[in-house]
Amino acid sequence: MDWSWLEQPGMLIPLTGLLGLLVGSFLNVVILRLPRRLEHDWMTQAREFLGQAEPEAKEVPPDLVFKGSHCPHCKHELSALDNIPLLSFLFLRGRCRYCNTTISWQYPLIELISGLACATIAWKFGFGWPLLSGLFFTWILIAASGIDARTQLLPDQLTLPLLWLGLLLSLLPVFVDSRTSIIGAAIGWLSLWSVFWLFKLMTGKEGMGYGDFKLLAALGAWMGAVALLPIILLSSLIGAIVGGIALTAKGKDKSTPIPFGPFIAAAGWVWFVFGTELLTMYQRWFLAGGG
């Protein structure tokens, strides 16, 4: 089959954006259902380990693929017309067709972010393996960020596959070679691990979760150690701005814990796509000006 028509940006970018919208709808399912599935599995394993019997009326959370979408309020199963990315939310005016309950803005937001991010990946890399790899990179970061924002949990089921995929791609290589990828993963883990323990020794508190270590290690595997410092600086800047606004809007003080994973993921994606341009801009504007 001739795929040469996909090499045209005018076809590739909008089609990839459309694919991103469709996958974004599924990412909402992952964000909402995966933590519940994990909690159910953890509780089941704990009861087996302790020798406790399973509850008689135990509710099993829906799976990620086969169980159809339904309204979280009235539990009515949604039709295909209710699941059209972005359009269904607009046509229904942000309310459930069956019970008139307000639909969370998370659904169109995740779909929109996925669509725009995927179109940007297509614009950046064009047709080929970097595009396919970049799409998986983007989808995993969106799902992990959404879960962390809701639950303050970065599941190993997302961060570890992202890490391993980055290491495997380095064998080809697609973005960086194996030596760069392995060193990047190791430094990514150790850098936040060191900060975690230093902060804990000084304050007696845990400043971040172990999932953050794994996420930064995964980003190091994809982009190498040279990208880690810009990612940490950029994520800290994004976190300070967005986190400060969020805490102020909710009327909470600065001691309120906020998940750091979404900021690491956002900074990692920005550097993955625009890192070369940002580095060139920095060298041109700041280093030249300083000289």
Side-chain angles (χ1 to χ4, degrees), residues 21-71:
L21 289 175
L22 296 173
V23 174
S25 182
F26 174 71
L27 295 179
N28 273 311
V29 174
V30 175
I31 291 170
L32 294 172
R33 295 185 184 181
L34 182 58
R36 294 171 57 196
R37 295 287 301 184
L38 293 175
E39 182 180 7
H40 172 265
D41 292 343
W42 295 334
M43 293 298 293
T44 300
Q45 293 169 10
R47 280 191 288 266
E48 291 177 353
F49 180 78
L50 296 173
Q52 299 177 353
E54 293 285 344
E56 293 183 1
K58 183 181 66 174
E59 180 183 358
V60 179
D63 58 73
L64 301 183
V65 178
F66 299 105
K67 178 67 174 178
S69 298
H70 59 275
C71 172

mmCIF file of all heavy atoms in Angstrom, residues 21-71:
data_model
loop_
_atom_site.group_PDB
_atom_site.id
_atom_site.type_symbol
_atom_site.label_atom_id
_atom_site.label_comp_id
_atom_site.label_asym_id
_atom_site.label_seq_id
_atom_site.Cartn_x
_atom_site.Cartn_y
_atom_site.Cartn_z
ATOM 1 N N LEU A 21 -7.545 13.362 19.085
ATOM 2 C CA LEU A 21 -8.845 13.590 19.715
ATOM 3 C C LEU A 21 -9.502 12.266 20.102
ATOM 4 O O LEU A 21 -10.049 12.125 21.199
ATOM 5 C CB LEU A 21 -9.760 14.360 18.768
ATOM 6 C CG LEU A 21 -9.429 15.831 18.509
ATOM 7 C CD1 LEU A 21 -10.369 16.404 17.449
ATOM 8 C CD2 LEU A 21 -9.533 16.655 19.793
ATOM 9 N N LEU A 22 -9.453 11.296 19.180
ATOM 10 C CA LEU A 22 -10.072 9.996 19.444
ATOM 11 C C LEU A 22 -9.370 9.274 20.586
ATOM 12 O O LEU A 22 -10.020 8.720 21.483
ATOM 13 C CB LEU A 22 -10.038 9.145 18.172
ATOM 14 C CG LEU A 22 -10.854 9.684 16.987
ATOM 15 C CD1 LEU A 22 -10.604 8.847 15.745
ATOM 16 C CD2 LEU A 22 -12.336 9.715 17.324
ATOM 17 N N VAL A 23 -8.038 9.284 20.553
ATOM 18 C CA VAL A 23 -7.287 8.630 21.631
ATOM 19 C C VAL A 23 -7.487 9.378 22.949
ATOM 20 O O VAL A 23 -7.530 8.765 24.024
ATOM 21 C CB VAL A 23 -5.794 8.534 21.270
ATOM 22 C CG1 VAL A 23 -4.992 7.983 22.440
ATOM 23 C CG2 VAL A 23 -5.603 7.664 20.046
ATOM 24 N N GLY A 24 -7.640 10.706 22.873
ATOM 25 C CA GLY A 24 -7.883 11.486 24.078
ATOM 26 C C GLY A 24 -9.135 11.042 24.810
ATOM 27 O O GLY A 24 -9.181 11.053 26.043
ATOM 28 N N SER A 25 -10.154 10.627 24.046
ATOM 29 C CA SER A 25 -11.373 10.101 24.666
ATOM 30 C C SER A 25 -11.063 8.837 25.464
ATOM 31 O O SER A 25 -11.581 8.638 26.576
ATOM 32 C CB SER A 25 -12.423 9.805 23.592
ATOM 33 O OG SER A 25 -13.624 9.341 24.166
ATOM 34 N N PHE A 26 -10.214 7.976 24.905
ATOM 35 C CA PHE A 26 -9.812 6.765 25.626
ATOM 36 C C PHE A 26 -8.922 7.099 26.820
ATOM 37 O O PHE A 26 -8.994 6.437 27.863
ATOM 38 C CB PHE A 26 -9.088 5.813 24.683
ATOM 39 C CG PHE A 26 -8.513 4.603 25.366
ATOM 40 C CD1 PHE A 26 -9.337 3.604 25.859
ATOM 41 C CD2 PHE A 26 -7.137 4.470 25.526
ATOM 42 C CE1 PHE A 26 -8.810 2.491 26.499
ATOM 43 C CE2 PHE A 26 -6.602 3.371 26.161
ATOM 44 C CZ PHE A 26 -7.444 2.371 26.649
ATOM 45 N N LEU A 27 -8.080 8.129 26.692
ATOM 46 C CA LEU A 27 -7.217 8.510 27.805
ATOM 47 C C LEU A 27 -8.044 8.943 29.012
ATOM 48 O O LEU A 27 -7.637 8.725 30.161
ATOM 49 C CB LEU A 27 -6.265 9.638 27.378
ATOM 50 C CG LEU A 27 -5.234 9.280 26.307
ATOM 51 C CD1 LEU A 27 -4.380 10.501 25.972
ATOM 52 C CD2 LEU A 27 -4.352 8.121 26.749
ATOM 53 N N ASN A 28 -9.198 9.562 28.768
ATOM 54 C CA ASN A 28 -10.096 9.884 29.877
ATOM 55 C C ASN A 28 -10.527 8.631 30.620
ATOM 56 O O ASN A 28 -10.629 8.628 31.849
ATOM 57 C CB ASN A 28 -11.323 10.628 29.350
ATOM 58 C CG ASN A 28 -11.117 12.125 29.257
ATOM 59 O OD1 ASN A 28 -10.651 12.764 30.199
ATOM 60 N ND2 ASN A 28 -11.455 12.701 28.115
ATOM 61 N N VAL A 29 -10.788 7.563 29.863
ATOM 62 C CA VAL A 29 -11.159 6.295 30.476
ATOM 63 C C VAL A 29 -10.013 5.772 31.336
ATOM 64 O O VAL A 29 -10.218 5.320 32.473
ATOM 65 C CB VAL A 29 -11.532 5.263 29.394
ATOM 66 C CG1 VAL A 29 -11.791 3.890 30.015
ATOM 67 C CG2 VAL A 29 -12.762 5.725 28.617
ATOM 68 N N VAL A 30 -8.800 5.841 30.809
ATOM 69 C CA VAL A 30 -7.632 5.378 31.558
ATOM 70 C C VAL A 30 -7.453 6.188 32.833
ATOM 71 O O VAL A 30 -7.218 5.633 33.920
ATOM 72 C CB VAL A 30 -6.365 5.474 30.680
ATOM 73 C CG1 VAL A 30 -5.125 5.111 31.496
ATOM 74 C CG2 VAL A 30 -6.479 4.572 29.466
ATOM 75 N N ILE A 31 -7.584 7.493 32.732
ATOM 76 C CA ILE A 31 -7.389 8.375 33.884
ATOM 77 C C ILE A 31 -8.397 8.064 34.987
ATOM 78 O O ILE A 31 -8.059 8.068 36.181
ATOM 79 C CB ILE A 31 -7.496 9.849 33.447
ATOM 80 C CG1 ILE A 31 -6.287 10.224 32.568
ATOM 81 C CG2 ILE A 31 -7.578 10.774 34.653
ATOM 82 C CD1 ILE A 31 -6.420 11.574 31.894
ATOM 83 N N LEU A 32 -9.625 7.769 34.612
ATOM 84 C CA LEU A 32 -10.669 7.540 35.597
ATOM 85 C C LEU A 32 -10.687 6.107 36.133
ATOM 86 O O LEU A 32 -10.983 5.879 37.310
ATOM 87 C CB LEU A 32 -12.040 7.873 34.995
ATOM 88 C CG LEU A 32 -12.269 9.349 34.658
ATOM 89 C CD1 LEU A 32 -13.580 9.520 33.893
ATOM 90 C CD2 LEU A 32 -12.280 10.201 35.913
ATOM 91 N N ARG A 33 -10.383 5.141 35.262
ATOM 92 C CA ARG A 33 -10.568 3.743 35.662
ATOM 93 C C ARG A 33 -9.305 3.072 36.179
ATOM 94 O O ARG A 33 -9.400 2.193 37.052
ATOM 95 C CB ARG A 33 -11.108 2.933 34.475
ATOM 96 C CG ARG A 33 -12.501 3.349 34.040
ATOM 97 C CD ARG A 33 -13.025 2.415 32.949
ATOM 98 N NE ARG A 33 -14.325 2.842 32.445
ATOM 99 C CZ ARG A 33 -15.007 2.201 31.510
ATOM 100 N NH1 ARG A 33 -14.503 1.088 30.965
ATOM 101 N NH2 ARG A 33 -16.193 2.650 31.099
ATOM 102 N N LEU A 34 -8.142 3.433 35.665
ATOM 103 C CA LEU A 34 -6.926 2.725 36.069
ATOM 104 C C LEU A 34 -6.668 2.814 37.565
ATOM 105 O O LEU A 34 -6.347 1.788 38.191
ATOM 106 C CB LEU A 34 -5.721 3.241 35.274
ATOM 107 C CG LEU A 34 -4.389 2.551 35.576
ATOM 108 C CD1 LEU A 34 -4.484 1.055 35.320
ATOM 109 C CD2 LEU A 34 -3.256 3.169 34.746
ATOM 110 N N PRO A 35 -6.779 3.988 38.213
ATOM 111 C CA PRO A 35 -6.548 4.014 39.664
ATOM 112 C C PRO A 35 -7.507 3.113 40.433
ATOM 113 O O PRO A 35 -7.104 2.471 41.412
ATOM 114 C CB PRO A 35 -6.770 5.497 40.024
ATOM 115 C CG PRO A 35 -6.483 6.235 38.763
ATOM 116 C CD PRO A 35 -6.983 5.349 37.664
ATOM 117 N N ARG A 36 -8.756 3.046 40.007
ATOM 118 C CA ARG A 36 -9.727 2.187 40.693
ATOM 119 C C ARG A 36 -9.377 0.718 40.492
ATOM 120 O O ARG A 36 -9.519 -0.092 41.417
ATOM 121 C CB ARG A 36 -11.132 2.487 40.170
ATOM 122 C CG ARG A 36 -11.635 3.881 40.503
ATOM 123 C CD ARG A 36 -12.922 4.190 39.773
ATOM 124 N NE ARG A 36 -13.957 3.199 40.083
ATOM 125 C CZ ARG A 36 -15.065 3.058 39.358
ATOM 126 N NH1 ARG A 36 -15.255 3.818 38.280
ATOM 127 N NH2 ARG A 36 -15.961 2.151 39.700
ATOM 128 N N ARG A 37 -8.932 0.369 39.283
ATOM 129 C CA ARG A 37 -8.519 -1.011 39.038
ATOM 130 C C ARG A 37 -7.304 -1.371 39.883
ATOM 131 O O ARG A 37 -7.235 -2.468 40.450
ATOM 132 C CB ARG A 37 -8.187 -1.209 37.558
ATOM 133 C CG ARG A 37 -9.349 -1.049 36.605
ATOM 134 C CD ARG A 37 -10.317 -2.211 36.666
ATOM 135 N NE ARG A 37 -9.687 -3.480 36.356
ATOM 136 C CZ ARG A 37 -10.353 -4.634 36.263
ATOM 137 N NH1 ARG A 37 -11.660 -4.667 36.444
ATOM 138 N NH2 ARG A 37 -9.725 -5.752 35.983
ATOM 139 N N LEU A 38 -6.362 -0.461 39.977
ATOM 140 C CA LEU A 38 -5.162 -0.713 40.771
ATOM 141 C C LEU A 38 -5.505 -0.872 42.249
ATOM 142 O O LEU A 38 -4.996 -1.774 42.924
ATOM 143 C CB LEU A 38 -4.153 0.425 40.584
ATOM 144 C CG LEU A 38 -3.523 0.551 39.198
ATOM 145 C CD1 LEU A 38 -2.633 1.785 39.128
ATOM 146 C CD2 LEU A 38 -2.730 -0.695 38.845
ATOM 147 N N GLU A 39 -6.366 0.013 42.760
ATOM 148 C CA GLU A 39 -6.766 -0.086 44.167
ATOM 149 C C GLU A 39 -7.466 -1.412 44.427
ATOM 150 O O GLU A 39 -7.222 -2.062 45.461
ATOM 151 C CB GLU A 39 -7.686 1.070 44.524
ATOM 152 C CG GLU A 39 -8.108 1.079 45.986
ATOM 153 C CD GLU A 39 -9.033 2.233 46.317
ATOM 154 O OE1 GLU A 39 -9.449 2.949 45.392
ATOM 155 O OE2 GLU A 39 -9.339 2.412 47.512
ATOM 156 N N HIS A 40 -8.319 -1.833 43.504
ATOM 157 C CA HIS A 40 -9.024 -3.114 43.654
ATOM 158 C C HIS A 40 -8.033 -4.269 43.687
ATOM 159 O O HIS A 40 -8.139 -5.177 44.522
ATOM 160 C CB HIS A 40 -10.011 -3.288 42.500
ATOM 161 C CG HIS A 40 -10.641 -4.651 42.446
ATOM 162 N ND1 HIS A 40 -10.137 -5.674 41.654
ATOM 163 C CD2 HIS A 40 -11.717 -5.163 43.090
ATOM 164 C CE1 HIS A 40 -10.879 -6.745 41.811
ATOM 165 N NE2 HIS A 40 -11.846 -6.469 42.661
ATOM 166 N N ASP A 41 -7.054 -4.237 42.777
ATOM 167 C CA ASP A 41 -6.055 -5.308 42.734
ATOM 168 C C ASP A 41 -5.205 -5.318 43.994
ATOM 169 O O ASP A 41 -4.885 -6.397 44.531
ATOM 170 C CB ASP A 41 -5.164 -5.139 41.499
ATOM 171 C CG ASP A 41 -5.917 -5.375 40.202
ATOM 172 O OD1 ASP A 41 -7.009 -5.981 40.247
ATOM 173 O OD2 ASP A 41 -5.423 -4.953 39.142
ATOM 174 N N TRP A 42 -4.828 -4.139 44.494
ATOM 175 C CA TRP A 42 -4.022 -4.064 45.712
ATOM 176 C C TRP A 42 -4.790 -4.624 46.913
ATOM 177 O O TRP A 42 -4.222 -5.356 47.736
ATOM 178 C CB TRP A 42 -3.613 -2.617 45.991
ATOM 179 C CG TRP A 42 -2.700 -2.038 44.965
ATOM 180 C CD1 TRP A 42 -1.832 -2.721 44.148
ATOM 181 C CD2 TRP A 42 -2.557 -0.652 44.628
ATOM 182 N NE1 TRP A 42 -1.158 -1.851 43.314
ATOM 183 C CE2 TRP A 42 -1.585 -0.575 43.591
ATOM 184 C CE3 TRP A 42 -3.140 0.525 45.073
ATOM 185 C CZ2 TRP A 42 -1.206 0.640 43.014
ATOM 186 C CZ3 TRP A 42 -2.760 1.738 44.502
ATOM 187 C CH2 TRP A 42 -1.800 1.774 43.493
ATOM 188 N N MET A 43 -6.060 -4.272 47.009
ATOM 189 C CA MET A 43 -6.867 -4.769 48.120
ATOM 190 C C MET A 43 -7.050 -6.288 48.038
ATOM 191 O O MET A 43 -6.993 -6.984 49.052
ATOM 192 C CB MET A 43 -8.231 -4.080 48.116
ATOM 193 C CG MET A 43 -8.186 -2.587 48.424
ATOM 194 S SD MET A 43 -7.539 -2.228 50.078
ATOM 195 C CE MET A 43 -8.852 -2.925 51.090
ATOM 196 N N THR A 44 -7.241 -6.800 46.824
ATOM 197 C CA THR A 44 -7.387 -8.243 46.644
ATOM 198 C C THR A 44 -6.111 -8.971 47.048
ATOM 199 O O THR A 44 -6.147 -9.992 47.753
ATOM 200 C CB THR A 44 -7.732 -8.563 45.181
ATOM 201 O OG1 THR A 44 -8.967 -7.928 44.833
ATOM 202 C CG2 THR A 44 -7.863 -10.054 44.960
ATOM 203 N N GLN A 45 -4.961 -8.440 46.617
ATOM 204 C CA GLN A 45 -3.688 -9.056 46.965
ATOM 205 C C GLN A 45 -3.428 -8.980 48.467
ATOM 206 O O GLN A 45 -2.886 -9.923 49.067
ATOM 207 C CB GLN A 45 -2.564 -8.363 46.191
ATOM 208 C CG GLN A 45 -2.615 -8.593 44.688
ATOM 209 C CD GLN A 45 -1.668 -7.685 43.928
ATOM 210 O OE1 GLN A 45 -0.834 -7.002 44.520
ATOM 211 N NE2 GLN A 45 -1.799 -7.666 42.611
ATOM 212 N N ALA A 46 -3.808 -7.871 49.087
ATOM 213 C CA ALA A 46 -3.607 -7.728 50.535
ATOM 214 C C ALA A 46 -4.452 -8.742 51.302
ATOM 215 O O ALA A 46 -3.988 -9.355 52.279
ATOM 216 C CB ALA A 46 -3.962 -6.309 50.971
ATOM 217 N N ARG A 47 -5.714 -8.933 50.859
ATOM 218 C CA ARG A 47 -6.566 -9.914 51.526
ATOM 219 C C ARG A 47 -6.035 -11.330 51.346
ATOM 220 O O ARG A 47 -6.093 -12.153 52.270
ATOM 221 C CB ARG A 47 -7.999 -9.797 50.990
ATOM 222 C CG ARG A 47 -8.795 -8.655 51.616
ATOM 223 C CD ARG A 47 -10.258 -8.749 51.249
ATOM 224 N NE ARG A 47 -10.479 -8.397 49.857
ATOM 225 C CZ ARG A 47 -10.813 -7.197 49.424
ATOM 226 N NH1 ARG A 47 -10.961 -6.206 50.288
ATOM 227 N NH2 ARG A 47 -11.011 -6.969 48.149
ATOM 228 N N GLU A 48 -5.509 -11.620 50.150
ATOM 229 C CA GLU A 48 -4.925 -12.947 49.927
ATOM 230 C C GLU A 48 -3.708 -13.159 50.817
ATOM 231 O O GLU A 48 -3.517 -14.239 51.390
ATOM 232 C CB GLU A 48 -4.542 -13.097 48.452
ATOM 233 C CG GLU A 48 -5.730 -13.177 47.500
ATOM 234 C CD GLU A 48 -5.288 -13.249 46.057
ATOM 235 O OE1 GLU A 48 -4.067 -13.108 45.793
ATOM 236 O OE2 GLU A 48 -6.150 -13.440 45.173
ATOM 237 N N PHE A 49 -2.888 -12.139 50.966
ATOM 238 C CA PHE A 49 -1.691 -12.244 51.789
ATOM 239 C C PHE A 49 -2.051 -12.433 53.260
ATOM 240 O O PHE A 49 -1.396 -13.186 53.982
ATOM 241 C CB PHE A 49 -0.834 -10.988 51.622
ATOM 242 C CG PHE A 49 0.421 -10.984 52.432
ATOM 243 C CD1 PHE A 49 1.528 -11.717 52.029
ATOM 244 C CD2 PHE A 49 0.499 -10.257 53.610
ATOM 245 C CE1 PHE A 49 2.691 -11.727 52.781
ATOM 246 C CE2 PHE A 49 1.657 -10.258 54.369
ATOM 247 C CZ PHE A 49 2.752 -10.992 53.953
ATOM 248 N N LEU A 50 -3.117 -11.752 53.716
ATOM 249 C CA LEU A 50 -3.534 -11.836 55.120
ATOM 250 C C LEU A 50 -4.478 -13.004 55.376
ATOM 251 O O LEU A 50 -4.863 -13.239 56.529
ATOM 252 C CB LEU A 50 -4.222 -10.525 55.533
ATOM 253 C CG LEU A 50 -3.344 -9.267 55.510
ATOM 254 C CD1 LEU A 50 -4.174 -8.021 55.779
ATOM 255 C CD2 LEU A 50 -2.216 -9.380 56.529
ATOM 256 N N GLY A 51 -4.866 -13.716 54.320
ATOM 257 C CA GLY A 51 -5.759 -14.847 54.490
ATOM 258 C C GLY A 51 -7.190 -14.454 54.779
ATOM 259 O O GLY A 51 -7.931 -15.219 55.420
ATOM 260 N N GLN A 52 -7.595 -13.282 54.339
ATOM 261 C CA GLN A 52 -8.946 -12.810 54.574
ATOM 262 C C GLN A 52 -9.846 -13.183 53.403
ATOM 263 O O GLN A 52 -9.403 -13.224 52.252
ATOM 264 C CB GLN A 52 -8.975 -11.293 54.780
ATOM 265 C CG GLN A 52 -8.173 -10.819 55.979
ATOM 266 C CD GLN A 52 -8.171 -9.311 56.112
ATOM 267 O OE1 GLN A 52 -8.649 -8.588 55.245
ATOM 268 N NE2 GLN A 52 -7.629 -8.830 57.221
ATOM 269 N N ALA A 53 -11.122 -13.407 53.696
ATOM 270 C CA ALA A 53 -12.082 -13.769 52.653
ATOM 271 C C ALA A 53 -12.500 -12.528 51.869
ATOM 272 O O ALA A 53 -12.505 -11.405 52.397
ATOM 273 C CB ALA A 53 -13.308 -14.423 53.269
ATOM 274 N N GLU A 54 -12.863 -12.745 50.602
ATOM 275 C CA GLU A 54 -13.348 -11.656 49.773
ATOM 276 C C GLU A 54 -14.754 -11.258 50.218
ATOM 277 O O GLU A 54 -15.561 -12.110 50.603
ATOM 278 C CB GLU A 54 -13.396 -12.089 48.303
ATOM 279 C CG GLU A 54 -12.028 -12.332 47.680
ATOM 280 C CD GLU A 54 -11.312 -11.032 47.381
ATOM 281 O OE1 GLU A 54 -11.970 -9.973 47.361
ATOM 282 O OE2 GLU A 54 -10.079 -11.071 47.179
ATOM 283 N N PRO A 55 -15.082 -9.965 50.208
ATOM 284 C CA PRO A 55 -16.449 -9.536 50.543
ATOM 285 C C PRO A 55 -17.460 -10.155 49.580
ATOM 286 O O PRO A 55 -17.188 -10.316 48.394
ATOM 287 C CB PRO A 55 -16.382 -8.013 50.382
ATOM 288 C CG PRO A 55 -14.930 -7.661 50.477
ATOM 289 C CD PRO A 55 -14.186 -8.835 49.927
ATOM 290 N N GLU A 56 -18.638 -10.490 50.102
ATOM 291 C CA GLU A 56 -19.647 -11.136 49.271
ATOM 292 C C GLU A 56 -20.172 -10.193 48.193
ATOM 293 O O GLU A 56 -20.401 -10.602 47.057
ATOM 294 C CB GLU A 56 -20.809 -11.622 50.151
ATOM 295 C CG GLU A 56 -20.402 -12.744 51.106
ATOM 296 C CD GLU A 56 -21.581 -13.247 51.904
ATOM 297 O OE1 GLU A 56 -22.701 -12.731 51.681
ATOM 298 O OE2 GLU A 56 -21.386 -14.159 52.737
ATOM 299 N N ALA A 57 -20.395 -8.942 48.539
ATOM 300 C CA ALA A 57 -20.966 -7.987 47.582
ATOM 301 C C ALA A 57 -19.882 -7.047 47.062
ATOM 302 O O ALA A 57 -20.025 -5.830 47.103
ATOM 303 C CB ALA A 57 -22.094 -7.205 48.221
ATOM 304 N N LYS A 58 -18.797 -7.614 46.629
ATOM 305 C CA LYS A 58 -17.667 -6.800 46.169
ATOM 306 C C LYS A 58 -17.931 -6.271 44.761
ATOM 307 O O LYS A 58 -18.270 -7.021 43.847
ATOM 308 C CB LYS A 58 -16.387 -7.632 46.178
ATOM 309 C CG LYS A 58 -15.155 -6.844 45.778
ATOM 310 C CD LYS A 58 -13.920 -7.720 45.788
ATOM 311 C CE LYS A 58 -13.998 -8.794 44.726
ATOM 312 N NZ LYS A 58 -12.742 -9.564 44.614
ATOM 313 N N GLU A 59 -17.775 -4.959 44.592
ATOM 314 C CA GLU A 59 -17.952 -4.335 43.287
ATOM 315 C C GLU A 59 -16.614 -4.303 42.559
ATOM 316 O O GLU A 59 -15.640 -3.762 43.077
ATOM 317 C CB GLU A 59 -18.504 -2.919 43.439
ATOM 318 C CG GLU A 59 -18.711 -2.212 42.100
ATOM 319 C CD GLU A 59 -19.198 -0.787 42.266
ATOM 320 O OE1 GLU A 59 -19.412 -0.371 43.425
ATOM 321 O OE2 GLU A 59 -19.348 -0.100 41.248
ATOM 322 N N VAL A 60 -16.588 -4.899 41.382
ATOM 323 C CA VAL A 60 -15.364 -4.924 40.581
ATOM 324 C C VAL A 60 -15.365 -3.723 39.642
ATOM 325 O O VAL A 60 -16.310 -3.541 38.878
ATOM 326 C CB VAL A 60 -15.264 -6.231 39.768
ATOM 327 C CG1 VAL A 60 -13.990 -6.228 38.930
ATOM 328 C CG2 VAL A 60 -15.303 -7.440 40.692
ATOM 329 N N PRO A 61 -14.342 -2.871 39.707
ATOM 330 C CA PRO A 61 -14.295 -1.706 38.817
ATOM 331 C C PRO A 61 -14.266 -2.138 37.358
ATOM 332 O O PRO A 61 -13.750 -3.202 37.027
ATOM 333 C CB PRO A 61 -12.982 -1.007 39.216
ATOM 334 C CG PRO A 61 -12.669 -1.521 40.575
ATOM 335 C CD PRO A 61 -13.187 -2.922 40.610
ATOM 336 N N PRO A 62 -14.797 -1.323 36.461
ATOM 337 C CA PRO A 62 -14.809 -1.680 35.035
ATOM 338 C C PRO A 62 -13.399 -1.718 34.461
ATOM 339 O O PRO A 62 -12.499 -1.012 34.930
ATOM 340 C CB PRO A 62 -15.635 -0.566 34.398
ATOM 341 C CG PRO A 62 -15.533 0.586 35.353
ATOM 342 C CD PRO A 62 -15.444 -0.027 36.715
ATOM 343 N N ASP A 63 -13.218 -2.560 33.434
ATOM 344 C CA ASP A 63 -11.916 -2.629 32.771
ATOM 345 C C ASP A 63 -11.723 -1.411 31.883
ATOM 346 O O ASP A 63 -12.616 -0.566 31.736
ATOM 347 C CB ASP A 63 -11.800 -3.916 31.954
ATOM 348 C CG ASP A 63 -12.899 -4.021 30.913
ATOM 349 O OD1 ASP A 63 -12.831 -3.288 29.913
ATOM 350 O OD2 ASP A 63 -13.842 -4.826 31.105
ATOM 351 N N LEU A 64 -10.555 -1.331 31.253
ATOM 352 C CA LEU A 64 -10.221 -0.152 30.460
ATOM 353 C C LEU A 64 -10.754 -0.212 29.034
ATOM 354 O O LEU A 64 -10.857 0.830 28.376
ATOM 355 C CB LEU A 64 -8.694 0.035 30.413
ATOM 356 C CG LEU A 64 -7.972 0.209 31.752
ATOM 357 C CD1 LEU A 64 -6.494 0.444 31.519
ATOM 358 C CD2 LEU A 64 -8.578 1.326 32.573
ATOM 359 N N VAL A 65 -11.086 -1.399 28.547
ATOM 360 C CA VAL A 65 -11.374 -1.542 27.123
ATOM 361 C C VAL A 65 -12.808 -1.985 26.845
ATOM 362 O O VAL A 65 -13.511 -1.368 26.029
ATOM 363 C CB VAL A 65 -10.388 -2.546 26.476
ATOM 364 C CG1 VAL A 65 -10.718 -2.736 25.001
ATOM 365 C CG2 VAL A 65 -8.948 -2.060 26.644
ATOM 366 N N PHE A 66 -13.263 -3.035 27.495
ATOM 367 C CA PHE A 66 -14.499 -3.699 27.073
ATOM 368 C C PHE A 66 -15.763 -3.090 27.678
ATOM 369 O O PHE A 66 -16.822 -3.184 27.082
ATOM 370 C CB PHE A 66 -14.421 -5.191 27.407
ATOM 371 C CG PHE A 66 -13.300 -5.889 26.702
ATOM 372 C CD1 PHE A 66 -12.147 -6.245 27.380
ATOM 373 C CD2 PHE A 66 -13.383 -6.169 25.346
ATOM 374 C CE1 PHE A 66 -11.103 -6.877 26.728
ATOM 375 C CE2 PHE A 66 -12.350 -6.794 24.687
ATOM 376 C CZ PHE A 66 -11.199 -7.155 25.377
ATOM 377 N N LYS A 67 -15.670 -2.494 28.844
ATOM 378 C CA LYS A 67 -16.839 -1.894 29.474
ATOM 379 C C LYS A 67 -17.129 -0.545 28.838
ATOM 380 O O LYS A 67 -16.272 0.335 28.769
ATOM 381 C CB LYS A 67 -16.590 -1.718 30.972
ATOM 382 C CG LYS A 67 -17.730 -1.042 31.726
ATOM 383 C CD LYS A 67 -18.967 -1.885 31.771
ATOM 384 C CE LYS A 67 -20.035 -1.250 32.653
ATOM 385 N NZ LYS A 67 -21.283 -2.038 32.691
ATOM 386 N N GLY A 68 -18.368 -0.368 28.335
ATOM 387 C CA GLY A 68 -18.737 0.877 27.681
ATOM 388 C C GLY A 68 -18.766 2.053 28.648
ATOM 389 O O GLY A 68 -18.914 1.892 29.866
ATOM 390 N N SER A 69 -18.634 3.253 28.096
ATOM 391 C CA SER A 69 -18.666 4.464 28.919
ATOM 392 C C SER A 69 -20.077 4.699 29.446
ATOM 393 O O SER A 69 -21.071 4.370 28.797
ATOM 394 C CB SER A 69 -18.211 5.672 28.093
ATOM 395 O OG SER A 69 -16.880 5.519 27.652
ATOM 396 N N HIS A 70 -20.163 5.303 30.622
ATOM 397 C CA HIS A 70 -21.444 5.595 31.222
ATOM 398 C C HIS A 70 -21.332 6.874 32.046
ATOM 399 O O HIS A 70 -20.231 7.317 32.390
ATOM 400 C CB HIS A 70 -21.894 4.438 32.132
ATOM 401 C CG HIS A 70 -20.930 4.150 33.236
ATOM 402 N ND1 HIS A 70 -19.843 3.325 33.073
ATOM 403 C CD2 HIS A 70 -20.882 4.600 34.523
ATOM 404 C CE1 HIS A 70 -19.159 3.256 34.199
ATOM 405 N NE2 HIS A 70 -19.762 4.025 35.098
ATOM 406 N N CYS A 71 -22.471 7.465 32.329
ATOM 407 C CA CYS A 71 -22.490 8.678 33.144
ATOM 408 C C CYS A 71 -22.092 8.317 34.572
ATOM 409 O O CYS A 71 -22.677 7.408 35.167
ATOM 410 C CB CYS A 71 -23.885 9.307 33.131
ATOM 411 S SG CYS A 71 -24.069 10.690 34.295
#
